[in-house]
Amino acid sequence: MTELVKAFPAEEKYRLTDQIIRSSRSIGNNIAEGHGRFHYLDASKFLVNARGSAAETIDHLIIAFDNNLIDQQTMDNLRKDCEECMRMINGYISYLKKQLEN
């Protein structure tokens, strides 16, 4: 995402640029933090946060598209990546719930 936002106008540096970088990085950060908790319930809470960060990233990308900062193909590709990430997070949450039940 860092390479993507380098092309954004300077006035977006502390607005949309920062938000896209922060929300996209937050996905992996939350997954890692949850994994480090070694407890299914705690890990699930962080995974829910990671999923939320992926949804937030999609919203920022829509704003970038609406403001003509990215083209349709870039928007579609990145949205697809975020949605795939959300599906994988959902699968991980389901796995942890099953582990908790056992």
Side-chain angles (χ1 to χ4, degrees):
M1 292 287 182
T2 304
E3 288 300 313
L4 172 75
V5 298
K6 283 183 180 179
F8 285 12
E11 64 267 13
E12 289 295 341
K13 182 174 183 178
Y14 297 107
R15 295 185 296 202
L16 190 56
T17 298
D18 185 55
Q19 290 299 315
I20 290 172
I21 291 171
R22 289 168 57 105
S23 64
S24 62
R25 287 181 180 171
S26 180
I27 299 165
N29 296 148
N30 275 293
I31 292 169
E33 188 166 356
H35 180 73
R37 294 295 173 132
F38 297 110
H39 187 270
Y40 302 125
L41 193 55
D42 283 346
S44 292
K45 290 176 186 176
F46 282 96
L47 290 169
V48 168
N49 290 339
R51 187 177 58 202
S53 293
E56 180 182 355
T57 301
I58 291 171
D59 184 62
H60 294 316
L61 292 169
I62 292 169
I63 292 168
F65 174 74
D66 288 347
N67 286 282
N68 298 313
L69 300 173
I70 60 174
D71 61 27
Q72 184 72 55
Q73 183 177 359
T74 301
M75 169 66 200
D76 291 344
N77 289 340
L78 293 173
R79 184 180 195 141
K80 184 186 285 187
D81 289 345
C82 288
E83 288 171 347
E84 176 64 19
C85 187
M86 291 169 73
R87 280 190 290 278
M88 289 189 292
I89 290 168
N90 286 338
Y92 193 15
I93 291 169
S94 294
Y95 166 79
L96 291 176
K97 284 182 180 179
K98 287 177 186 174
Q99 297 303 308
L100 186 60
E101 291 168 1
N102 293 334

